[in-house]
Amino acid sequence: MEHHSLDPYPEPKDKSPLYINEPWLIDKSLLEYPRHREPDEKEDNIRIYVPMDLNKDAILRRLDNIIGLYGEAREDNEIEFSIDVTHSVYF
């Protein structure tokens, strides 16, 4: 069984975190449905925040991963490539 680090103190000790309240950046299925700015009101809904480092090296690593996944950008992979690049740069 894999164990995950659940940190009860989500804020870094030396900086304030940046919360991006755009679930569609992680959940691509939301691109197919109207966007909701507020959390889902369903009783069983739990919104989580996943930490991610955002810096030049991290962005370049993600872009390299996308190129490894799709190869060069072409007409037949344009949409998926574009969506993943947008997620890598803005998220």
Coordinates of all heavy atoms in Angstrom, one line a residue:
M1 N 0.8 -1.2 0.0 CA 0.0 0.0 0.0 C 0.9 1.2 0.0 O 1.8 1.4 0.8 CB -0.9 0.0 1.2 CG -1.7 1.3 1.4 SD -2.8 1.3 2.8 CE -4.3 1.2 2.0
E2 N 0.6 2.2 -0.9 CA 1.3 3.4 -1.0 C 0.8 4.4 0.1 O -0.4 4.6 0.3 CB 1.2 4.0 -2.4 CG 2.1 5.2 -2.6 CD 1.9 5.6 -4.0 OE1 1.6 4.8 -4.9 OE2 2.2 6.8 -4.3
H3 N 1.8 5.1 0.7 CA 1.4 6.1 1.7 C 1.6 7.5 1.1 O 2.6 7.7 0.5 CB 2.2 5.9 3.0 CG 1.9 4.6 3.6 ND1 0.8 4.4 4.4 CD2 2.6 3.4 3.6 CE1 0.8 3.1 4.8 NE2 1.9 2.5 4.4
H4 N 0.7 8.4 1.4 CA 0.9 9.8 1.0 C 1.1 10.7 2.1 O 0.6 10.4 3.2 CB -0.4 10.2 0.2 CG -0.7 9.3 -1.0 ND1 0.0 9.5 -2.2 CD2 -1.5 8.3 -1.2 CE1 -0.4 8.6 -3.0 NE2 -1.3 7.8 -2.5
S5 N 1.8 11.7 1.9 CA 2.1 12.7 2.9 C 0.9 13.7 3.0 O 0.7 14.5 2.1 CB 3.4 13.5 2.6 OG 3.6 14.5 3.5
L6 N 0.2 13.6 4.1 CA -0.9 14.5 4.4 C -0.4 15.6 5.4 O -0.1 15.2 6.5 CB -2.1 13.8 4.9 CG -2.8 12.8 4.0 CD1 -3.9 12.1 4.7 CD2 -3.2 13.4 2.7
D7 N -0.3 16.8 4.9 CA 0.3 17.8 5.7 C -0.8 18.7 6.3 O -1.6 19.3 5.5 CB 1.2 18.7 4.9 CG 2.0 19.7 5.7 OD1 1.8 19.8 6.9 OD2 2.9 20.3 5.1
P8 N -1.0 18.7 7.6 CA -2.0 19.6 8.2 C -1.7 21.1 8.1 O -2.5 21.9 8.5 CB -2.1 19.1 9.6 CG -0.8 18.6 9.9 CD -0.2 18.0 8.6
Y9 N -0.5 21.4 7.7 CA 0.0 22.8 7.6 C 0.3 23.1 6.1 O 1.5 23.0 5.7 CB 1.2 23.0 8.5 CG 0.9 22.6 9.9 CD1 1.5 21.4 10.4 CD2 0.1 23.4 10.8 CE1 1.2 21.0 11.7 CE2 -0.1 23.0 12.0 CZ 0.4 21.8 12.5 OH 0.2 21.4 13.8
P10 N -0.7 23.5 5.3 CA -0.4 23.6 3.9 C 0.4 24.8 3.5 O 0.9 24.8 2.4 CB -1.8 23.7 3.3 CG -2.6 24.3 4.4 CD -2.0 23.7 5.7
E11 N 0.6 25.8 4.4 CA 1.3 26.9 4.0 C 2.8 26.7 4.3 O 3.2 26.2 5.3 CB 0.9 28.1 4.8 CG -0.5 28.5 4.5 CD -1.0 29.8 5.2 OE1 -0.1 30.6 5.5 OE2 -2.1 30.0 5.4
P12 N 3.7 27.1 3.3 CA 5.1 27.0 3.5 C 5.5 27.9 4.7 O 4.9 29.0 4.9 CB 5.7 27.5 2.2 CG 4.6 27.4 1.2 CD 3.3 27.5 2.0
K13 N 6.5 27.6 5.4 CA 6.9 28.4 6.5 C 7.5 29.8 6.1 O 7.3 30.7 6.9 CB 8.0 27.6 7.3 CG 7.5 26.4 8.0 CD 8.6 25.7 8.7 CE 8.1 24.5 9.5 NZ 7.4 23.5 8.9
D14 N 8.1 29.9 4.9 CA 8.7 31.2 4.6 C 7.9 32.0 3.5 O 8.2 33.1 3.3 CB 10.1 30.9 4.1 CG 10.2 30.0 2.9 OD1 9.2 29.2 2.7 OD2 11.2 30.0 2.2
K15 N 6.9 31.4 2.9 CA 6.1 32.1 1.9 C 4.6 31.7 2.0 O 4.3 30.7 2.6 CB 6.6 31.7 0.5 CG 8.0 32.1 0.2 CD 8.4 31.6 -1.2 CE 9.8 31.9 -1.5 NZ 10.2 31.4 -2.8
S16 N 3.8 32.6 1.5 CA 2.4 32.3 1.4 C 2.1 31.5 0.1 O 2.6 31.8 -0.9 CB 1.5 33.6 1.4 OG 1.7 34.2 2.6
P17 N 1.2 30.5 0.2 CA 0.9 29.7 -1.0 C 0.0 30.6 -1.9 O -0.7 31.5 -1.5 CB 0.2 28.5 -0.5 CG -0.5 29.0 0.8 CD 0.5 30.0 1.3
L18 N 0.0 30.2 -3.2 CA -0.9 30.8 -4.2 C -2.0 29.8 -4.5 O -1.7 28.7 -5.0 CB -0.2 31.2 -5.4 CG -1.0 31.7 -6.6 CD1 -1.7 33.0 -6.3 CD2 -0.1 31.8 -7.8
Y19 N -3.3 30.1 -4.2 CA -4.4 29.2 -4.5 C -5.0 29.6 -5.8 O -5.4 30.7 -6.0 CB -5.4 29.2 -3.4 CG -4.9 28.6 -2.1 CD1 -4.4 29.4 -1.1 CD2 -4.9 27.2 -1.9 CE1 -4.0 28.9 0.1 CE2 -4.4 26.7 -0.7 CZ -4.0 27.5 0.3 OH -3.5 26.9 1.4
I20 N -5.0 28.7 -6.8 CA -5.7 28.9 -8.0 C -7.0 28.1 -8.0 O -7.0 26.9 -8.1 CB -4.8 28.5 -9.2 CG1 -3.5 29.3 -9.2 CG2 -5.5 28.7 -10.5 CD1 -2.4 28.9 -10.2
N21 N -8.1 28.8 -8.0 CA -9.4 28.2 -7.8 C -10.0 27.9 -9.2 O -11.0 28.5 -9.5 CB -10.3 29.1 -7.0 CG -11.5 28.3 -6.4 OD1 -11.5 27.1 -6.4 ND2 -12.5 29.1 -6.1
E22 N -9.3 27.2 -10.0 CA -9.7 26.8 -11.3 C -9.6 25.3 -11.5 O -8.6 24.8 -12.0 CB -8.9 27.5 -12.4 CG -9.0 29.0 -12.3 CD -10.3 29.5 -12.8 OE1 -11.2 28.8 -13.3 OE2 -10.6 30.7 -12.5
P23 N -10.6 24.5 -11.0 CA -10.5 23.0 -11.0 C -10.3 22.5 -12.4 O -9.7 21.4 -12.6 CB -11.8 22.5 -10.4 CG -12.4 23.7 -9.8 CD -11.8 24.9 -10.4
W24 N -10.7 23.2 -13.5 CA -10.6 22.7 -14.8 C -9.1 22.5 -15.2 O -8.8 21.8 -16.2 CB -11.3 23.5 -15.8 CG -10.8 25.0 -15.9 CD1 -11.3 26.0 -15.1 CD2 -9.8 25.5 -16.7 NE1 -10.6 27.1 -15.4 CE2 -9.7 26.9 -16.4 CE3 -9.0 24.9 -17.7 CZ2 -8.8 27.7 -17.1 CZ3 -8.1 25.8 -18.3 CH2 -8.0 27.1 -18.0
L25 N -8.2 23.2 -14.5 CA -6.8 23.1 -14.9 C -6.3 21.7 -14.6 O -5.3 21.2 -15.2 CB -5.9 24.1 -14.1 CG -6.1 25.6 -14.5 CD1 -5.4 26.5 -13.5 CD2 -5.5 25.7 -15.9
I26 N -6.9 21.0 -13.6 CA -6.5 19.6 -13.3 C -7.5 18.6 -13.9 O -7.1 17.6 -14.4 CB -6.4 19.4 -11.7 CG1 -5.3 20.3 -11.1 CG2 -6.3 18.0 -11.4 CD1 -5.3 20.3 -9.6
D27 N -8.7 18.9 -13.8 CA -9.8 18.0 -14.2 C -10.2 18.4 -15.7 O -11.1 19.2 -15.9 CB -11.0 18.1 -13.3 CG -12.1 17.1 -13.6 OD1 -12.0 16.4 -14.6 OD2 -13.0 17.0 -12.8
K28 N -9.6 17.8 -16.7 CA -9.9 18.1 -18.1 C -11.3 17.8 -18.5 O -11.8 18.4 -19.4 CB -9.0 17.3 -19.0 CG -7.5 17.7 -18.9 CD -6.7 16.9 -19.9 CE -5.2 17.2 -19.7 NZ -4.4 16.4 -20.6
S29 N -12.0 17.0 -17.7 CA -13.4 16.7 -18.1 C -14.3 18.0 -17.9 O -15.3 18.1 -18.5 CB -14.0 15.6 -17.2 OG -14.2 16.0 -15.8
L30 N -13.8 18.9 -17.1 CA -14.6 20.1 -16.9 C -14.6 21.0 -18.1 O -15.4 21.9 -18.3 CB -14.1 20.9 -15.7 CG -14.4 20.2 -14.3 CD1 -13.7 21.0 -13.2 CD2 -15.9 20.1 -14.1
L31 N -13.6 20.8 -19.1 CA -13.6 21.5 -20.3 C -14.8 21.2 -21.2 O -15.2 22.0 -22.0 CB -12.3 21.2 -21.1 CG -11.0 21.6 -20.4 CD1 -9.8 21.1 -21.2 CD2 -10.9 23.1 -20.3
E32 N -15.4 20.1 -21.0 CA -16.6 19.7 -21.7 C -17.9 20.2 -21.2 O -19.0 20.2 -21.8 CB -16.7 18.2 -21.8 CG -15.5 17.5 -22.3 CD -15.3 17.8 -23.8 OE1 -16.3 17.9 -24.5 OE2 -14.1 17.9 -24.2
Y33 N -17.8 20.7 -19.9 CA -19.0 21.2 -19.2 C -18.9 22.7 -18.9 O -17.7 23.2 -18.8 CB -19.3 20.4 -18.0 CG -19.5 18.9 -18.2 CD1 -18.4 18.0 -18.2 CD2 -20.7 18.4 -18.6 CE1 -18.6 16.7 -18.4 CE2 -20.9 17.1 -18.9 CZ -19.8 16.2 -18.8 OH -20.0 14.9 -19.1
P34 N -19.9 23.4 -18.6 CA -19.8 24.8 -18.2 C -19.0 24.9 -17.0 O -19.0 24.0 -16.1 CB -21.2 25.2 -17.9 CG -22.1 24.3 -18.6 CD -21.3 23.0 -18.7
R35 N -18.1 25.9 -16.9 CA -17.3 26.1 -15.7 C -18.1 26.7 -14.6 O -18.9 27.6 -14.7 CB -16.1 27.0 -16.1 CG -15.2 26.4 -17.1 CD -14.0 27.3 -17.3 NE -13.3 26.8 -18.4 CZ -12.5 27.5 -19.2 NH1 -12.3 28.7 -18.9 NH2 -11.9 26.9 -20.2
H36 N -17.8 26.1 -13.4 CA -18.4 26.7 -12.2 C -17.3 27.2 -11.3 O -16.3 26.6 -11.1 CB -19.1 25.5 -11.4 CG -20.2 24.9 -12.2 ND1 -21.4 25.5 -12.3 CD2 -20.2 23.7 -12.8 CE1 -22.2 24.7 -13.1 NE2 -21.5 23.6 -13.4
R37 N -17.4 28.5 -10.9 CA -16.4 29.1 -10.1 C -16.4 28.7 -8.6 O -15.5 28.8 -7.9 CB -16.5 30.6 -10.2 CG -16.3 31.1 -11.6 CD -15.6 32.4 -11.6 NE -15.4 32.9 -13.0 CZ -14.2 32.8 -13.6 NH1 -13.2 32.2 -13.0 NH2 -14.1 33.2 -14.8
E38 N -17.6 28.3 -8.2 CA -17.7 27.9 -6.8 C -17.6 26.4 -6.7 O -17.9 25.6 -7.6 CB -19.1 28.3 -6.3 CG -19.3 29.8 -6.3 CD -18.3 30.6 -5.5 OE1 -18.0 30.1 -4.4 OE2 -17.9 31.6 -5.9
P39 N -17.2 25.9 -5.5 CA -17.1 24.4 -5.3 C -18.4 23.8 -5.5 O -19.5 24.4 -5.2 CB -16.6 24.3 -3.8 CG -15.9 25.6 -3.5 CD -16.7 26.6 -4.4
D40 N -18.4 22.5 -5.9 CA -19.7 21.8 -6.0 C -20.4 21.7 -4.7 O -19.8 21.4 -3.7 CB -19.3 20.4 -6.5 CG -20.5 19.6 -7.0 OD1 -21.6 20.0 -6.7 OD2 -20.3 18.7 -7.8
E41 N -21.7 22.0 -4.7 CA -22.4 22.0 -3.4 C -22.9 20.6 -2.9 O -23.6 20.5 -1.9 CB -23.6 22.9 -3.6 CG -23.3 24.4 -3.9 CD -22.6 25.0 -2.7 OE1 -22.9 24.7 -1.5 OE2 -21.7 25.9 -3.0
K42 N -22.5 19.6 -3.7 CA -23.0 18.2 -3.3 C -22.4 17.9 -1.9 O -21.3 18.2 -1.5 CB -22.6 17.2 -4.3 CG -23.3 17.5 -5.6 CD -23.1 16.4 -6.6 CE -24.0 16.6 -7.7 NZ -23.6 16.3 -9.0
E43 N -23.2 17.1 -1.1 CA -22.9 16.8 0.2 C -21.5 16.0 0.3 O -20.8 16.1 1.3 CB -24.0 16.0 0.8 CG -24.0 15.8 2.3 CD -25.2 15.2 2.8 OE1 -26.3 15.7 2.6 OE2 -25.0 14.1 3.4
D44 N -21.2 15.2 -0.7 CA -20.0 14.4 -0.6 C -18.8 15.0 -1.2 O -17.8 14.4 -1.4 CB -20.3 13.0 -1.3 CG -20.6 13.1 -2.7 OD1 -20.9 14.2 -3.2 OD2 -20.5 12.1 -3.4
N45 N -18.9 16.3 -1.6 CA -17.8 17.0 -2.3 C -16.7 17.4 -1.3 O -17.0 17.9 -0.2 CB -18.3 18.2 -3.0 CG -17.2 18.9 -3.8 OD1 -16.6 18.2 -4.7 ND2 -16.9 20.1 -3.6
I46 N -15.5 17.1 -1.7 CA -14.3 17.6 -0.9 C -13.4 18.2 -1.9 O -13.0 17.6 -2.9 CB -13.6 16.4 -0.2 CG1 -14.5 15.7 0.8 CG2 -12.3 16.9 0.5 CD1 -14.0 14.5 1.4
R47 N -13.0 19.5 -1.7 CA -12.0 20.1 -2.5 C -10.7 20.0 -1.9 O -10.5 20.3 -0.8 CB -12.4 21.6 -2.7 CG -11.4 22.3 -3.7 CD -12.0 23.6 -4.2 NE -12.9 23.3 -5.3 CZ -13.3 24.1 -6.2 NH1 -12.9 25.4 -6.1 NH2 -14.2 23.8 -7.1
I48 N -9.7 19.6 -2.7 CA -8.3 19.4 -2.2 C -7.4 20.4 -3.0 O -7.7 20.8 -4.1 CB -7.8 18.0 -2.4 CG1 -7.8 17.6 -3.9 CG2 -8.7 17.0 -1.6 CD1 -7.0 16.3 -4.1
Y49 N -6.3 20.7 -2.4 CA -5.3 21.6 -3.0 C -4.0 20.8 -3.0 O -3.5 20.3 -2.0 CB -5.1 22.9 -2.2 CG -6.4 23.7 -2.3 CD1 -7.4 23.6 -1.4 CD2 -6.5 24.6 -3.3 CE1 -8.5 24.4 -1.4 CE2 -7.7 25.4 -3.4 CZ -8.7 25.3 -2.5 OH -9.8 26.0 -2.6
V50 N -3.5 20.6 -4.2 CA -2.3 19.8 -4.4 C -1.1 20.8 -4.7 O -1.2 21.6 -5.6 CB -2.4 18.9 -5.6 CG1 -1.1 18.1 -5.9 CG2 -3.6 18.0 -5.4
P51 N -0.1 20.7 -3.8 CA 1.0 21.7 -4.0 C 1.8 21.4 -5.3 O 2.0 20.2 -5.7 CB 1.9 21.4 -2.8 CG 1.6 20.0 -2.4 CD 0.2 19.8 -2.7
M52 N 2.2 22.4 -6.0 CA 3.0 22.3 -7.2 C 4.0 23.4 -7.2 O 3.7 24.6 -7.0 CB 2.1 22.3 -8.4 CG 2.9 22.3 -9.7 SD 1.9 22.4 -11.1 CE 1.5 20.6 -11.2
D53 N 5.3 23.1 -7.5 CA 6.3 24.1 -7.7 C 6.2 24.7 -9.1 O 6.0 24.0 -10.1 CB 7.7 23.5 -7.5 CG 7.9 23.1 -6.0 OD1 7.3 23.7 -5.1 OD2 8.6 22.1 -5.8
L54 N 6.2 26.0 -9.1 CA 6.1 26.8 -10.4 C 7.4 27.6 -10.5 O 7.6 28.6 -9.9 CB 4.9 27.6 -10.4 CG 4.5 28.3 -11.7 CD1 4.3 27.3 -12.8 CD2 3.3 29.2 -11.5
N55 N 8.3 27.1 -11.4 CA 9.5 27.9 -11.7 C 10.0 27.5 -13.1 O 9.4 26.6 -13.7 CB 10.6 27.6 -10.6 CG 10.9 26.1 -10.5 OD1 11.3 25.4 -11.5 ND2 10.7 25.5 -9.3
K56 N 11.0 28.1 -13.6 CA 11.5 27.9 -15.0 C 11.8 26.4 -15.2 O 11.3 25.8 -16.2 CB 12.7 28.7 -15.3 CG 13.2 28.6 -16.7 CD 14.4 29.5 -16.9 CE 15.6 28.6 -16.8 NZ 16.9 29.3 -17.1
D57 N 12.5 25.8 -14.3 CA 12.9 24.4 -14.5 C 11.7 23.5 -14.5 O 11.6 22.5 -15.3 CB 13.9 23.9 -13.5 CG 15.3 24.6 -13.7 OD1 15.6 25.0 -14.8 OD2 16.1 24.6 -12.7
A58 N 10.7 23.7 -13.6 CA 9.5 22.9 -13.5 C 8.7 23.0 -14.8 O 8.2 22.0 -15.3 CB 8.7 23.3 -12.3
I59 N 8.6 24.2 -15.3 CA 7.8 24.4 -16.6 C 8.5 23.8 -17.7 O 7.8 23.1 -18.5 CB 7.6 25.9 -16.8 CG1 6.6 26.5 -15.8 CG2 7.0 26.2 -18.2 CD1 6.6 28.0 -15.8
L60 N 9.8 23.9 -17.9 CA 10.5 23.3 -19.0 C 10.5 21.7 -18.9 O 10.3 21.1 -19.9 CB 12.0 23.7 -19.0 CG 12.2 25.2 -19.4 CD1 13.6 25.6 -19.2 CD2 11.7 25.4 -20.8
R61 N 10.5 21.2 -17.6 CA 10.4 19.8 -17.5 C 9.0 19.3 -17.9 O 8.9 18.3 -18.6 CB 10.6 19.4 -16.0 CG 10.5 17.9 -15.7 CD 10.6 17.6 -14.2 NE 9.4 18.0 -13.6 CZ 9.3 18.9 -12.6 NH1 10.4 19.5 -12.1 NH2 8.1 19.3 -12.0
R62 N 8.0 20.0 -17.6 CA 6.6 19.6 -18.0 C 6.5 19.7 -19.5 O 5.8 18.9 -20.2 CB 5.6 20.5 -17.3 CG 5.5 20.2 -15.8 CD 4.4 21.1 -15.2 NE 4.6 21.0 -13.8 CZ 5.0 22.1 -13.0 NH1 5.3 23.2 -13.6 NH2 5.2 21.9 -11.7
L63 N 7.0 20.8 -20.1 CA 7.0 20.9 -21.6 C 7.7 19.8 -22.3 O 7.3 19.2 -23.3 CB 7.5 22.3 -22.0 CG 6.6 23.5 -21.7 CD1 7.4 24.8 -22.0 CD2 5.3 23.4 -22.3
D64 N 8.9 19.4 -21.7 CA 9.7 18.3 -22.3 C 8.8 17.0 -22.2 O 8.9 16.2 -23.1 CB 11.0 18.2 -21.5 CG 11.9 17.1 -22.1 OD1 12.1 17.2 -23.3 OD2 12.4 16.3 -21.4
N65 N 8.1 16.8 -21.1 CA 7.3 15.7 -20.9 C 6.2 15.6 -22.0 O 5.9 14.6 -22.6 CB 6.7 15.6 -19.5 CG 5.8 14.4 -19.3 OD1 4.6 14.5 -19.4 ND2 6.5 13.3 -18.9
I66 N 5.6 16.8 -22.3 CA 4.5 16.8 -23.3 C 5.1 16.5 -24.7 O 4.5 15.7 -25.5 CB 3.9 18.2 -23.3 CG1 3.1 18.4 -22.0 CG2 3.0 18.4 -24.5 CD1 2.6 19.9 -21.8
I67 N 6.3 17.0 -25.0 CA 6.9 16.7 -26.3 C 7.2 15.2 -26.4 O 7.0 14.6 -27.4 CB 8.1 17.6 -26.5 CG1 7.7 19.0 -26.7 CG2 8.9 17.1 -27.7 CD1 8.9 20.0 -26.6
G68 N 7.6 14.6 -25.3 CA 7.9 13.2 -25.2 C 6.6 12.4 -25.4 O 6.6 11.3 -26.0
L69 N 5.5 12.9 -24.9 CA 4.2 12.2 -25.0 C 3.6 12.3 -26.4 O 3.2 11.3 -27.0 CB 3.2 12.8 -24.0 CG 1.8 12.2 -24.0 CD1 1.8 10.8 -23.6 CD2 1.0 13.1 -23.0
Y70 N 3.6 13.5 -27.0 CA 3.0 13.7 -28.3 C 3.9 13.7 -29.5 O 3.5 13.7 -30.6 CB 2.2 15.0 -28.3 CG 1.0 15.0 -27.3 CD1 1.1 15.8 -26.2 CD2 -0.1 14.2 -27.6 CE1 0.0 15.8 -25.3 CE2 -1.2 14.2 -26.7 CZ -1.1 15.0 -25.5 OH -2.1 15.0 -24.7
G71 N 5.2 13.9 -29.3 CA 6.1 14.2 -30.4 C 6.0 15.7 -30.7 O 5.5 16.5 -29.9
E72 N 6.3 16.0 -31.9 CA 6.2 17.5 -32.3 C 4.7 17.8 -32.5 O 3.9 16.9 -32.8 CB 7.0 17.8 -33.6 CG 6.5 17.1 -34.8 CD 7.3 17.4 -36.0 OE1 8.6 17.2 -36.0 OE2 6.8 17.9 -37.0
A73 N 4.4 19.1 -32.4 CA 3.0 19.5 -32.6 C 2.6 19.4 -34.0 O 3.4 19.8 -34.9 CB 2.9 21.0 -32.1
R74 N 1.5 18.7 -34.3 CA 1.0 18.5 -35.6 C -0.5 18.8 -35.6 O -1.1 18.9 -34.6 CB 1.2 17.1 -36.1 CG 2.7 16.6 -36.1 CD 2.8 15.1 -36.5 NE 1.9 14.2 -35.8 CZ 2.2 13.7 -34.6 NH1 3.4 13.9 -34.0 NH2 1.3 12.9 -34.0
E75 N -1.1 18.8 -36.8 CA -2.5 19.1 -36.9 C -3.3 18.0 -36.2 O -4.3 18.3 -35.5 CB -2.9 19.2 -38.4 CG -4.3 19.7 -38.6 CD -4.6 19.9 -40.0 OE1 -3.7 20.3 -40.8 OE2 -5.8 19.7 -40.4
D76 N -2.9 16.8 -36.2 CA -3.7 15.7 -35.6 C -3.6 15.6 -34.1 O -4.4 15.0 -33.4 CB -3.3 14.3 -36.2 CG -1.9 13.9 -35.9 OD1 -1.0 14.8 -35.9 OD2 -1.6 12.7 -35.7
N77 N -2.6 16.3 -33.5 CA -2.5 16.3 -32.0 C -2.6 17.7 -31.5 O -2.3 18.0 -30.3 CB -1.2 15.6 -31.6 CG 0.0 16.4 -31.9 OD1 0.0 17.5 -32.4 ND2 1.2 15.8 -31.6
E78 N -3.0 18.7 -32.3 CA -3.0 20.1 -31.9 C -3.8 20.4 -30.7 O -3.4 21.1 -29.8 CB -3.5 20.9 -33.1 CG -3.6 22.4 -32.9 CD -4.2 23.1 -34.1 OE1 -4.7 22.5 -35.0 OE2 -4.2 24.4 -34.0
I79 N -5.0 19.9 -30.6 CA -5.9 20.2 -29.5 C -5.3 19.6 -28.2 O -5.2 20.4 -27.2 CB -7.3 19.6 -29.7 CG1 -8.0 20.3 -30.9 CG2 -8.2 19.8 -28.4 CD1 -8.2 21.8 -30.8
E80 N -5.0 18.4 -28.1 CA -4.4 17.8 -26.9 C -3.1 18.4 -26.5 O -2.8 18.7 -25.3 CB -4.2 16.3 -27.1 CG -5.5 15.5 -27.2 CD -6.0 15.4 -28.6 OE1 -5.3 16.0 -29.6 OE2 -7.1 14.9 -28.8
F81 N -2.2 18.7 -27.5 CA -1.0 19.3 -27.3 C -1.2 20.7 -26.7 O -0.5 21.1 -25.7 CB -0.2 19.4 -28.6 CG 1.3 19.7 -28.5 CD1 2.2 18.7 -28.6 CD2 1.7 21.0 -28.3 CE1 3.5 18.9 -28.5 CE2 3.1 21.2 -28.2 CZ 4.0 20.2 -28.3
S82 N -2.1 21.5 -27.3 CA -2.4 22.8 -26.8 C -2.9 22.9 -25.4 O -2.5 23.7 -24.6 CB -3.3 23.5 -27.8 OG -3.7 24.8 -27.3
I83 N -3.8 22.0 -25.1 CA -4.4 21.9 -23.7 C -3.4 21.6 -22.7 O -3.3 22.2 -21.7 CB -5.6 20.9 -23.7 CG1 -6.8 21.4 -24.5 CG2 -6.0 20.6 -22.2 CD1 -7.9 20.4 -24.7
D84 N -2.5 20.6 -23.0 CA -1.5 20.2 -22.1 C -0.4 21.3 -21.9 O 0.1 21.5 -20.8 CB -0.8 18.9 -22.5 CG -1.7 17.7 -22.2 OD1 -2.8 17.9 -21.6 OD2 -1.4 16.5 -22.6
V85 N -0.1 22.0 -22.9 CA 0.9 23.1 -22.8 C 0.3 24.2 -22.0 O 0.9 24.7 -21.1 CB 1.3 23.6 -24.2 CG1 2.0 25.0 -24.1 CG2 2.2 22.6 -24.9
T86 N -1.0 24.5 -22.2 CA -1.7 25.5 -21.4 C -1.7 25.1 -19.9 O -1.4 25.9 -19.0 CB -3.1 25.7 -21.8 OG1 -3.1 26.1 -23.2 CG2 -3.9 26.7 -21.0
H87 N -1.9 23.9 -19.6 CA -1.9 23.4 -18.2 C -0.5 23.5 -17.6 O -0.4 23.8 -16.4 CB -2.4 21.9 -18.1 CG -3.9 21.8 -18.4 ND1 -4.5 20.6 -18.4 CD2 -4.8 22.7 -18.6 CE1 -5.8 20.8 -18.6 NE2 -6.0 22.0 -18.7
S88 N 0.5 23.2 -18.4 CA 1.9 23.2 -17.9 C 2.3 24.7 -17.6 O 3.1 24.9 -16.7 CB 2.8 22.7 -19.0 OG 2.6 21.3 -19.1
V89 N 1.9 25.6 -18.4 CA 2.3 27.0 -18.2 C 1.5 27.7 -17.1 O 2.1 28.4 -16.3 CB 2.3 27.8 -19.5 CG1 2.6 29.2 -19.3 CG2 3.2 27.2 -20.5
Y90 N 0.2 27.5 -17.1 CA -0.6 28.2 -16.1 C -0.8 27.4 -14.8 O -1.3 28.0 -13.9 CB -2.0 28.5 -16.8 CG -1.9 29.5 -17.9 CD1 -2.2 29.1 -19.2 CD2 -1.6 30.8 -17.6 CE1 -2.1 30.0 -20.2 CE2 -1.6 31.7 -18.6 CZ -1.8 31.3 -19.9 OH -1.7 32.3 -20.9
F91 N -0.4 26.2 -14.8 CA -0.7 25.4 -13.6 C 0.6 24.9 -13.1 O 1.4 24.2 -13.5 CB -1.7 24.3 -13.9 CG -1.9 23.4 -12.7 CD1 -2.4 23.9 -11.6 CD2 -1.6 22.1 -12.8 CE1 -2.7 23.1 -10.5 CE2 -1.8 21.3 -11.7 CZ -2.4 21.8 -10.6

